[in-house]
């Protein structure tokens, strides 16, 4: 290695070693400055140009290749500096936070994200960040993944993350398209996570979850991979409050891995790939009496004839979801210029198989549906240290997408009307085939300058230009500015404004030929179907954070979004496939508070958030809605179906014997929600009851338990979800775009053992 790097290398090596010696199992939800290159674990703070979170650390296995460790640490710092969140609010989850969360690596990402302020829980594994429906962007090592079709869960496994962050607020110019929350997963690698781990996890409801991971390095190469198989009977939320759902089997296969080649101290090439294959039974809701969903034929003679022919407890509906992706990245340092360019591929598909007779009897339509989207594109980001007080960043994203939708529907044809004016249907059903395909593209360009005019003041200003040419054709220039000021030690104030442009999700726009369903049992209440439009927002954010005492931090943040053509999503048919639509106007505003305390083996945190999300006048995809609801919403503001007024979470952990080779950790988390919306006197005019759940985890670790040289740490865990077995409802089946009722998981006890090698 060139001699001029030796001093810097020594400092980086010392910093990495110090990070390892820091407090373990720290959990926080703090607001702080980003002048710390190794921030405490769960944290929220306004970022400056030093907002890096290097995860490449020196381990016992990596000491022989110390030069490569140091080079990769420096490249990790340079990569993180490409996409700072100056002026935004970032909540960080370290590896210790992930392991401390009940379930650890076995828990879904959503259970971890619910511990951040402003994140609300919904059915089908969805989350809502700051009152938006689903505008959440996932990134792997800073590279954004195009949207996919997954409904019931994430294709990304928690086990693949070394650390992750959730960034919200008024985002800088490098973040485009989906902007309610940016989840950046810093992946494990062959240096910081060398070695292997095999585990088996399971328990109640046929839960079985074996997994394997392995990472290593040799010469200029390092690699990491993980695979698992999930089998259980809790694939989708129970539509009843009973302890176990009927017909809820799920089988899922996942693989994630990457390989990296460090050509020299300034050049690195990496390839990341993932595969997710999941099959779900759709749980049944017994005792349903309603025949045909359309009011036009609820009282028809055919409805009377088919009444009772199918028991809703014995329906047999299935859904399969597949997601595959690949990312090839080149990172290069050229003097004062740092660049990362990535080619991205993603294929995602969804296939719904109905209960042919049951769906026809209960809904008036049995529809076999298949939808897929293939996306390919490039993301390039560059940082130029133009002057002492100016850091210029610029780049672009461009994606080409191909969407294909096919449906085969069985419906009853309408033969006329009776004397009372009610529809009359034939006894024999008919088949309707419908299919469509479209290719489109979207793109974004940005440039910004991070300026330090005086000490303790940072101003980040820039422009972004976005466009979409898919079902809709539009573009926008978006100015953004953020100010970060540190008036005194430990205190940080931030304020920002961002103009947002959000293209509608290409894969969720329905392309049905409505005229084919005219005069059938599946005829919509209205045939109006305006094309979904891109959303345009004005977003304002302001907050303050303070270190009150060593180890104790607190923050408060407020935000407001004024939207035109606000995008929302709903589930309107038997296939559990979300469809997108627009409100002509929308408003979202709220505030958040977070605090944490960490001292030695003890860590506690808590946060709460208040939010209000409303919309007016549904202007696109109108055929999905009841005409009376459309008429009311055209003239009145209503709550969005995912609007939840109060959201809170808290948690803590304590480790005993933490100075020995057999530490034992006890941790707990809490989630509170005041309830999502349901229909009342007006659409979305009421809410489901409030709820609170508690989760508990006990983990015992042993060093060299089996006294075998190649076996390392052994870990035994016990996790309890919904400790007090509270019955709580996420959805009651009513509301705009809400499908079936959904209840939260009842008490579930799971155990596991993992072995490092």
């Amino acid at each position: 290695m060139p001699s001029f790097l030796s001093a810097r290398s020594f400092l980086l090596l010392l910093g990495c070693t110090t990070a390892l010696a820091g407090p373990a199992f720290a959990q926080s939800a703090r607001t702080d400055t980003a002048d710390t290159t190794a921030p405490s674990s769960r944290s929220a703070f306004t970022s400056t140009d030093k907002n890096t979170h290097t995860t490449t650390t020196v381990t016992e296995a990596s000491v022989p290749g110390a030069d490569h460790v140091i080079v990769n640490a420096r490249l990790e710092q340079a990569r993180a500096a490409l996409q700072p969140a100056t002026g935004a609010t970032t909540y960080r989850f370290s590896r210790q936070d992930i392991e401390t969360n009940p379930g650890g690596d076995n828990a879904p990402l959503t259970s971890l994200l619910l511990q951040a302020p402003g994140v609300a829980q919904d059915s089908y594994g969805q989350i809502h960040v700051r009152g938006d429906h689903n505008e959440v962007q996932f990134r792997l090592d800073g590279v954004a993944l195009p949207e996919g079709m997954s409904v019931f869960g994430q294709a990304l496994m928690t086990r693949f993350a070394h650390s992750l962050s959730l960034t919200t607020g008024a985002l800088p110019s490098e973040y485009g398209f989906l902007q309610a929350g940016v989840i950046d997963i810093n992946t494990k690698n062959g240096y910081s996570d060398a070695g292997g781990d095999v585990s088996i996890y399971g328990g109640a409801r046929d839960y079985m979850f074996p997994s394997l991971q392995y990472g290593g390095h040799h010469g200029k190469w390092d690699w990491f991979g993980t695979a698992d198989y999930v089998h259980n009977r809790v694939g989708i939320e129970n539509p009843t409050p009973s302890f176990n759902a009927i017909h809820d089997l799920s089988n899922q296969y996942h693989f994630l891995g990457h390989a990296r080649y460090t050509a020299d101290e300034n050049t690195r090439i990496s390839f990341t790939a993932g595969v997710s294959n999941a099959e779900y039974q759709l749980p049944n809701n017994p005792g349903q009496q309603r025949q045909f969903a359309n009011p036009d034929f609820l009282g028809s003679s055919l409805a009377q004839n088919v009444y009772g022919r199918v028991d809703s407890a014995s329906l047999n509906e299935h859904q399969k979801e597949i997601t595959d992706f690949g990312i090839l990245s080149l990172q290069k340092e050229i003097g004062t210029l740092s660049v990362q360019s990535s080619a991205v591929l993603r294929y995602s598909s969804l296939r719904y198989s109905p209960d042919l007779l049951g769906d026809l009897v209960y809904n008036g339509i049995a529809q076999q549906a298949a939808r897929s989207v293939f996306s390919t594109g490039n993301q390039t980001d560059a940082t130029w240290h133009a002057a002492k007080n100016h850091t210029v960043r610029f780049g672009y994203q461009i994606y080409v997408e191909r969407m294909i939708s096919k449906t085969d529907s069985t419906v009853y044809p309408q033969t006329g009307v009776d004397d009372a004016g009610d529809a009359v249907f034939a006894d024999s059903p008919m088949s309707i085939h419908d299919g469509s395909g479209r290719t489109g593209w979207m793109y974004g360009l940005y440039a910004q300058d991070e300026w330090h005019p005086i000490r303790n003041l940072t101003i980040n200003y820039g422009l972004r230009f976005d466009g979409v040419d898919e079902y809709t054709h539009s573009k926008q220039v978006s100015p953004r500015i953020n100010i970060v000021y540190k008036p005194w030690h430990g205190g940080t104030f931030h304020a920002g404004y961002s103009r947002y442009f959000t293209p509608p999700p290409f894969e969720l726009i329905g392309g049905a030929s409505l005229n084919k369903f005219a005069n059938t049992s599946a005829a919509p209440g209205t045939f109006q179907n305006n094309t979904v439009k891109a959303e345009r927002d004005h977003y304002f954010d302001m907050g303050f954070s303070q270190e009150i005492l060593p180890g104790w931090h607190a923050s408060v943040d407020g935000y407001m979004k004024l939207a035109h053509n606000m995008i929302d999503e709903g589930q309107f048919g038997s296939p559990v496939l979300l469809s997108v639509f627009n409100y002509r106007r929308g408003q979202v505003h709220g505030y958040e508070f977070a605090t944490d305390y960490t001292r030695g083996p003890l860590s506690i945190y808590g946060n709460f958030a208040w939010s209000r999300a409303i919309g007016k006048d549904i202007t696109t995809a109108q055929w999905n809605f009841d005409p009376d609801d459309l008429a009311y919403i055209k003239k009145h503001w209503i709550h969005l179906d995912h609007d939840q007024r109060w959201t809170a979470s808290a948690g803590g952990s304590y480790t005993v014997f933490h100075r020995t080779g057999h530490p034992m950790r006890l941790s707990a988390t809490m989630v509170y929600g005041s309830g999502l919306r349901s229909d009342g006197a007006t659409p979305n005019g009421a809410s489901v009851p409030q709820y609170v759940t508690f989760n508990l985890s006990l983990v015992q670790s042993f060093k060299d338990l089996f006294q075998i040289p190649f076996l390392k740490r052994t870990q035994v865990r016990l996790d309890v979800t919904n400790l007090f077995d509270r019955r709580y409802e996420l959805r009651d089946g009513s509301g705009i775009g809400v499908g079936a009722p959904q209840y939260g998981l009842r008490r579930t006890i799971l155990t596991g053992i993992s072995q490092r090698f």
Side-chain angles (χ1 to χ4, degrees):
M1 180 175 291
S3 59
F4 72 90
L5 285 177
S6 58
R8 180 186 299 177
S9 300
F10 174 77
L11 291 174
L12 285 172
L13 182 61
L14 179 62
C16 292
T17 308
T18 304
L20 276 182
F25 311 115
Q27 289 186 321
S28 60
R30 69 166 182 153
T31 302
D32 200 353
T33 68
D35 287 338
T36 305
T37 58
S40 74
S41 35
R42 184 164 301 162
S43 58
F45 51 82
T46 53
S47 305
T48 68
D49 61 322
K50 297 181 181 179
N51 178 21
T52 60
H53 48 288
T54 301
T55 61
T56 301
T57 55
V58 179
T59 65
E60 182 180 351
S62 64
V63 168
D67 286 349
H68 294 298
V69 175
I70 295 166
V71 168
N72 275 278
R74 187 173 63 82
L75 291 173
E76 284 293 297
Q77 287 182 317
R79 182 195 62 76
L82 288 169
Q83 299 167 335
T86 309
T89 302
T90 299
Y91 302 92
R92 304 193 183 281
F93 298 88
S94 70
R95 172 97 302 253
Q96 287 76 22
D97 293 325
I98 296 172
E99 293 177 352
T100 303
N101 187 55
D105 280 336
N106 306 293
L109 278 175
T110 52
S111 72
L112 187 67
L113 295 169
L114 286 174
Q115 299 305 308
V119 180
Q121 179 181 211
D122 201 349
S123 56
Y124 304 137
Q126 298 178 90
I127 58 172
H128 306 296
V129 179
R130 288 193 169 187
D132 275 290
H133 184 273
N134 205 19
E135 294 183 15
V136 178
Q137 177 182 151
F138 284 90
R139 293 189 170 207
L140 290 177
D141 295 325
V143 181
L145 286 175
E147 287 191 88
M149 301 295 302
S150 180
V151 176
F152 299 129
Q154 303 296 337
L156 301 175
M157 299 176 294
T158 306
R159 197 178 308 277
F160 196 50
H162 184 98
S163 62
L164 65 99
S165 62
L166 169 63
T167 301
T168 64
L171 301 180
S173 299
E174 71 264 25
Y175 297 104
F177 305 139
L178 300 176
Q179 294 145 129
V182 178
I183 300 169
D184 194 354
I185 299 174
N186 202 353
T187 61
K188 293 180 179 178
N189 62 72
Y191 288 104
S192 62
D193 303 279
D197 188 289
V198 60
S199 71
I200 182 71
Y201 186 70
R205 299 180 179 84
D206 290 348
Y207 204 104
M208 182 174 66
F209 190 177
S211 65
L212 173 68
Q213 67 177 41
Y214 185 77
H217 56 88
H218 179 74
K220 296 184 177 182
W221 288 91
D222 73 277
W223 58 87
F224 184 86
T226 179
D228 65 42
Y229 164 69
V230 182
H231 169 91
N232 59 43
R233 296 189 181 275
V234 289
I236 306 174
E237 287 86 358
N238 194 342
T240 75
S242 62
F243 194 81
N244 292 309
I246 301 173
H247 193 259
D248 199 12
L249 181 66
S250 171
N251 288 294
Q252 306 170 43
Y253 309 85
H254 306 97
F255 168 79
L256 283 168
H258 68 194
R260 304 189 305 185
Y261 177 73
T262 306
D264 54 49
E265 64 268 20
N266 295 314
T267 309
R268 184 169 63 184
I269 301 172
S270 62
F271 176 70
T272 304
V275 176
S276 173
N277 190 317
E279 297 186 19
Y280 301 90
Q281 292 178 340
L282 271 63
N284 297 331
N285 193 0
Q288 299 302 296
Q289 302 297 322
R290 189 179 186 186
Q291 306 293 307
F292 297 118
N294 193 321
D296 290 342
F297 44 80
L298 274 175
S300 68
S301 58
L302 180 61
Q304 300 301 316
N305 291 337
V306 299
Y307 180 82
R309 287 171 56 185
V310 178
D311 182 1
S312 61
S314 61
L315 299 181
N316 187 22
E317 301 166 325
H318 297 79
Q319 192 152 302
K320 184 174 183 178
E321 300 175 0
I322 296 174
T323 298
D324 304 321
F325 69 87
I327 302 172
L328 179 63
S329 298
L330 170 65
Q331 183 181 349
K332 185 69 176 178
E333 304 295 308
I334 310 171
T336 59
L337 183 67
S338 177
V339 181
Q340 178 173 275
S341 185
S342 304
V344 181
L345 294 173
R346 179 165 182 167
Y347 170 80
S348 182
S349 69
L350 180 151
R351 182 179 296 274
Y352 169 78
S353 300
D355 185 300
L356 291 175
L357 179 59
D359 282 22
L360 192 61
V361 166
Y362 282 94
N363 302 318
I365 178 174
Q367 185 177 78
Q368 186 168 354
R371 192 173 291 188
S372 64
V373 60
F374 177 79
S375 304
T376 180
N378 177 265
Q379 175 183 328
T380 297
D381 301 285
T383 296
W384 175 38
H385 299 282
K388 179 180 179 181
N389 295 324
H390 290 272
T391 302
V392 178
R393 295 181 174 89
F394 54 93
Y396 68 87
Q397 291 171 276
I398 183 170
Y399 301 105
V400 178
E401 301 181 297
R402 174 67 178 174
M403 194 276 287
I404 297 175
S405 176
K406 298 178 181 179
T407 61
D408 289 287
S409 306
T410 302
V411 297
Y412 288 112
Q414 182 179 346
T415 59
V417 294
D418 58 19
D419 294 339
D422 296 324
V424 176
F425 299 93
D427 292 333
S428 300
M430 59 179 289
S431 298
I432 298 176
H433 174 78
D434 192 19
S436 64
R438 178 167 295 206
T439 301
W441 64 302
M442 61 181 184
Y443 52 90
L445 312 171
Y446 73 90
Q448 61 186 2
D449 176 27
E450 189 173 280
W451 176 35
H452 300 272
I454 60 174
R455 184 180 180 183
N456 296 332
L457 176 64
T458 301
I459 301 175
N460 191 84
Y461 57 95
L463 288 175
R464 184 176 180 92
F465 175 70
D466 294 294
V468 58
D469 186 10
E470 295 176 337
Y471 281 99
T472 187
H473 311 277
S474 54
K475 57 184 69 73
Q476 177 178 289
V477 176
S478 305
R480 302 186 185 182
I481 184 169
N482 283 280
I483 299 172
V484 179
Y485 177 60
K486 303 174 185 177
W488 49 74
H489 177 72
T492 302
F493 170 83
H494 72 95
Y497 163 77
S498 292
R499 181 80 164 124
Y500 286 158
F501 175 88
T502 304
F506 190 34
E507 66 282 358
L508 299 185
I509 298 178
S513 302
L514 299 182
N515 289 334
K516 293 183 178 181
F517 296 90
N519 299 315
T520 71
S521 55
T526 175
F527 286 87
Q528 191 174 4
N529 187 25
N530 293 346
T531 302
V532 179
K533 303 174 184 178
E535 178 179 328
R536 304 172 190 269
D537 305 326
H538 297 282
Y539 197 100
F540 306 88
D541 182 270
M542 182 180 296
F544 181 77
S545 65
Q546 178 66 51
E547 181 180 19
I548 302 172
L549 293 172
W552 183 17
H553 312 86
S555 67
V556 62
D557 202 273
Y559 59 91
M560 173 180 289
K561 184 178 84 167
L562 304 176
H564 178 65
N565 294 327
M566 184 170 63
I567 292 175
D568 201 355
E569 299 172 8
Q571 193 248 313
F572 298 100
S574 294
V576 186
L577 175 65
L578 299 178
S579 297
V580 64
F581 60 95
N582 294 106
Y583 290 92
R584 182 174 58 86
R585 296 177 60 191
Q587 295 181 12
V588 182
H589 63 275
Y591 58 83
E592 301 168 349
F593 173 80
T595 186
D596 74 277
Y597 176 76
T598 301
R599 184 177 180 85
L602 173 66
S603 176
I604 56 175
Y605 67 92
N607 58 72
F608 67 83
W610 180 93
S611 176
R612 183 172 183 261
I614 56 177
K616 182 179 182 181
D617 192 9
I618 295 175
T619 57
T620 59
Q622 296 94 329
W623 67 278
N624 291 298
F625 303 92
D626 181 89
D628 292 338
D629 287 346
L630 285 174
Y632 180 86
I633 299 169
K634 185 176 183 63
K635 298 180 179 180
H636 301 85
W637 289 91
I638 67 166
H639 294 275
L640 305 187
D641 71 281
H642 55 269
D643 179 34
Q644 180 165 270
R645 191 57 53 89
W646 291 97
T647 302
S649 60
S653 69
Y654 186 79
T655 304
V656 297
F657 314 124
H658 62 284
R659 299 183 184 277
T660 71
H662 49 275
M664 181 175 66
R665 182 179 68 245
L666 177 67
S667 61
T669 61
M670 178 277 290
V671 173
Y672 167 81
S674 60
L676 300 173
R677 308 304 297 186
S678 63
D679 282 341
T682 61
N684 294 344
S687 62
V688 299
Q690 63 181 349
Y691 66 90
V692 60
T693 60
F694 296 86
N695 307 310
L696 187 68
S697 179
L698 179 65
V699 179
Q700 176 68 64
S701 297
F702 302 94
K703 182 179 180 181
D704 298 327
L705 177 64
F706 300 105
Q707 300 297 312
I708 300 176
F710 66 88
L711 294 182
K712 301 176 183 177
R713 184 202 68 188
T714 305
Q715 192 175 81
V716 180
R717 67 180 311 123
L718 170 68
D719 299 305
V720 183
T721 301
N722 195 354
L723 178 65
F724 301 109
D725 196 27
R726 294 180 179 271
R727 300 183 183 184
Y728 65 100
E729 198 171 31
L730 295 172
R731 297 288 193 178
D732 68 357
S734 69
I736 299 296
V738 177
Q742 305 283 334
Y743 284 82
L745 185 65
R746 299 285 297 276
R747 181 167 53 216
T748 301
I749 302 175
L750 301 172
T751 62
I753 182 171
S754 64
Q755 177 64 59
R756 291 282 299 173
F757 59 90

